[in-house]
Amino acid sequence: MKKYIFIAAAVFTVVLSSWLTQTDPYVAMKDVAGFKTKLNQKNQTITTLSCDFVQEKSLSFMAQKVISKGIMKYKKPDMMKLEYTTPFQYIMALYKGKVIIKDNGKVSKYDSKSNKVFKYVNDLMIHAVQGNVADSKEFTIVYKENSKTYLMEMTPAEATMKEYLSKVLVTVSKTDLGVLKVEMTEKSGDYTLITFVNRVYNTALKDEEFLVH
Amino acid sequence: MKSFWFIKSISSCILIALVVSCAPHTYKKASVTTVYEQPIQSYFFSKDSVHYFKTSIDTYGKSLSGILAVRRLNVDTLKVSFFTEVGVTFFDAIVTHDSYQLIRCIPQLDSKGVMNTIIEDIRWVVLFNLNQLTDPVLIKTSDPAPIVRSNYQDVFIFTELSKDNLPLLVTYVYGSKFKSKFDIRYDSFENSIPNKIFVRHYNIDLKIDLTAISFSQ
């Protein structure tokens, strides 16, 4: 179970460094170095982030799509909270090296450094938080762009991650360099698309807001 | 001497309490009355072809949680998908009354013992096997809710029913000692539909709690 929690955490953490949409065709990015620099500069200006998210999960096997919604909060350097509110309640928080889950009223805590998977994901999170996702060694990344957005096509390089995900697409706005959506595709072809809306940067968030009781 | 008597009494009480609490759940003394002729009804698949449950599984100190989706393809076949809240799939399976085919499954769950148990539980949770029950008879009980015993393969299914013939408690009973293997309790009704379902096993440490949810499309 811990592994899945951390894979989920990793995917969400990728989100913290950039933002996007997919309307016109993507072509190879012309200035990858410039994009990385801008992304790093943008992330250095971010101290907190709050937004709503909409998650769409395709179930090809069931011929269904399911949609859930929630709230995300992030605070530098190492706090993040994902709170699903509809149609179920579920909280996953990253708090100073701990992963905290609240499900069905029960709170579980895990140390993110207690095993290899934890450490791997923790490292990924640190990269993401510091704006270094674009330099991540855990993924091979193809950079693309269209008129409105940048697209990072991230393919897992690490064996554990490969077991579950074939690709992660991160779409970044050219307007404000914020991450607009993240799409993670499983080996089966099923995908989970998370769209971030109502993004608000650098409002005061207390550490206590990331604790889960 | 007085204190010795006191300690002995307390010890006896504790022992009795332990014996009673550890006694296996059994229907051995249940006696039947008449044939039960009314068909047992189901909560599921009359309006919706797919049901979703926020599901948590606890076994031997470990927990697993996610979303369970169950679609009825036809009267003899279910499609079942179980995935994390964030969307990573645990398993997909096609389920019939007496077999199942795993389409995909994470390595950690991909063992015959684990999946046999989970699939069997899912069949009973959504009352998929109701039409497989035979020879229903009413059990003699002081409880106002009727309890019906039915045959299923080589075991018994005891079903406590509401006045509308909907199951409130389903108990899977096996062997000559009529021991309960597991039971399923339907609870927290809203418009006659259970919002909560609790599965409890008696011969292994396994409990599954399900909460019905509805996804907006």
Side-chain angles (χ1 to χ4, degrees):
Chain A
M1 184 62 189
K2 289 177 186 174
K3 187 182 287 184
Y4 306 106
I5 290 164
F6 279 90
I7 287 168
V11 171
F12 271 106
T13 308
V14 166
V15 167
L16 294 173
S17 57
S18 27
W19 306 100
L20 101 122
T21 22
Q22 202 169 329
T23 48
D24 43 349
Y26 282 103
V27 295
M29 195 182 291
K30 287 176 189 163
D31 182 10
V32 174
F35 166 69
K36 287 181 181 179
T37 303
K38 282 192 286 184
L39 199 59
N40 281 334
Q41 286 170 348
K42 163 77 179 180
N43 286 326
Q44 280 167 18
T45 67
I46 298 172
T47 54
T48 69
L49 168 63
S50 307
C51 67
D52 300 324
F53 68 85
V54 178
Q55 179 180 302
E56 178 184 309
K57 159 80 173 165
S58 81
L59 296 166
S60 57
F61 177 65
M62 306 288 284
Q64 292 285 122
K65 282 182 183 173
V66 294
I67 294 171
S68 41
K69 296 176 183 178
I71 300 161
M72 185 179 85
K73 289 178 184 174
Y74 162 71
K75 183 177 182 181
K76 260 184 181 171
D78 54 4
M79 285 174 270
M80 185 173 73
K81 188 178 186 181
L82 298 161
E83 185 168 2
Y84 288 80
T85 53
T86 307
F88 54 83
Q89 279 77 50
Y90 179 86
I91 299 173
M92 179 169 67
L94 310 176
Y95 184 82
K96 299 179 180 177
K98 302 273 182 197
V99 175
I100 310 169
I101 303 289
K102 184 173 185 181
D103 183 29
N104 204 18
K106 187 174 145 191
V107 177
S108 310
K109 291 182 185 176
Y110 307 93
D111 187 339
S112 62
K113 292 175 185 169
S114 61
N115 71 20
K116 188 186 163 191
V117 176
F118 288 12
K119 187 176 183 312
Y120 163 72
V121 176
N122 193 52
D123 289 348
L124 178 60
M125 287 190 291
I126 289 167
H127 287 307
V129 168
Q130 293 175 343
N132 294 333
V133 167
D135 294 323
S136 170
K137 290 182 174 61
E138 284 81 11
F139 291 92
T140 55
I141 305 176
V142 175
Y143 297 90
K144 295 182 177 179
E145 64 184 325
N146 64 15
S147 65
K148 293 176 182 167
T149 57
Y150 298 110
L151 177 68
M152 290 191 279
E153 285 187 2
M154 304 171 69
T155 304
E158 205 274 341
T160 306
M161 212 64 162
K162 275 184 178 174
E163 279 184 44
Y164 306 99
L165 296 174
S166 62
K167 196 177 282 184
V168 178
L169 303 180
V170 181
T171 309
V172 180
S173 166
K174 280 191 169 178
T175 309
D176 69 355
L177 292 168
V179 173
L180 300 176
K181 56 186 178 180
V182 171
E183 181 176 323
M184 53 179 180
T185 306
E186 297 177 57
K187 280 199 297 190
S188 66
D190 279 8
Y191 66 86
T192 302
L193 171 65
I194 304 151
T195 306
F196 301 92
V197 292
N198 304 326
R199 289 169 285 131
V200 180
Y201 294 100
N202 299 336
T203 54
L205 295 176
K206 292 179 180 173
D207 289 6
E208 291 73 36
E209 292 184 49
F210 294 85
L211 282 170
V212 181
H213 301 287
Chain B
M1 189 64 188
K2 195 175 176 181
S3 90
F4 177 72
W5 173 86
F6 178 74
I7 291 166
K8 200 173 170 185
S9 301
I10 292 294
S11 303
S12 300
C13 289
I14 292 169
L15 190 61
I16 289 165
L18 280 173
V19 168
V20 169
S21 63
C22 293
H25 294 252
T26 177
Y27 274 82
K28 193 168 187 178
K29 291 181 179 173
S31 55
V32 300
T33 57
T34 56
V35 172
Y36 193 74
E37 292 180 345
Q38 300 172 58
I40 298 172
Q41 304 297 315
S42 173
Y43 304 105
F44 306 104
F45 306 118
S46 56
K47 288 180 187 169
D48 302 311
S49 61
V50 187
H51 290 275
Y52 298 98
F53 304 95
K54 178 80 175 67
T55 302
S56 62
I57 301 173
D58 289 283
T59 181
Y60 297 101
K62 294 191 174 181
S63 300
L64 185 70
S65 81
I67 311 297
L68 178 70
V70 186
R71 167 188 280 265
R72 192 174 78 160
L73 287 187
N74 56 53
V75 73
D76 294 317
T77 315
L78 297 175
K79 272 189 170 184
V80 176
S81 194
F82 188 37
F83 51 93
T84 66
E85 290 80 359
V86 180
V88 180
T89 301
F90 287 129
F91 68 81
D92 288 334
I94 294 174
V95 178
T96 65
H97 293 293
D98 53 8
S99 66
Y100 66 91
Q101 181 192 354
L102 277 180
I103 305 301
R104 55 184 167 142
C105 185
I106 58 167
Q108 290 80 353
L109 288 176
D110 194 4
S111 88
K112 202 174 171 184
V114 171
M115 289 311 300
N116 283 355
T117 303
I118 291 174
I119 296 292
E120 181 74 349
D121 285 1
I122 292 169
R123 282 193 189 103
W124 286 106
V125 160
V126 296
L127 300 164
F128 179 55
N129 283 344
L130 276 188
N131 61 4
Q132 304 289 301
L133 301 179
T134 60
D135 306 318
V137 287
L138 202 57
I139 294 297
K140 193 185 286 183
T141 171
S142 55
D143 197 323
I147 299 175
V148 173
R149 189 193 77 186
S150 309
N151 292 348
Y152 171 70
Q153 298 174 350
D154 56 349
V155 302
F156 289 121
I157 302 297
F158 285 75
T159 316
E160 187 180 319
L161 297 169
S162 71
K163 59 180 173 23
D164 300 318
N165 273 320
L166 286 158
L168 300 172
L169 182 71
V170 173
T171 309
Y172 184 108
V173 175
Y174 68 103
S176 59
K177 293 183 177 175
F178 287 74
K179 284 184 182 174
S180 301
K181 184 179 177 186
F182 62 86
D183 63 36
I184 297 167
R185 185 163 59 84
Y186 299 89
D187 203 354
S188 303
F189 292 87
E190 206 170 283
N191 298 323
S192 302
I193 301 293
N195 276 329
K196 300 271 186 187
I197 305 171
F198 304 100
V199 182
R200 296 291 180 269
H201 280 253
Y202 295 105
N203 52 359
I204 53 173
D205 181 11
L206 172 63
K207 66 174 190 170
I208 305 175
D209 292 350
L210 304 101
T211 303
I213 54 174
S214 174
F215 283 97
S216 56
Q217 296 298 309

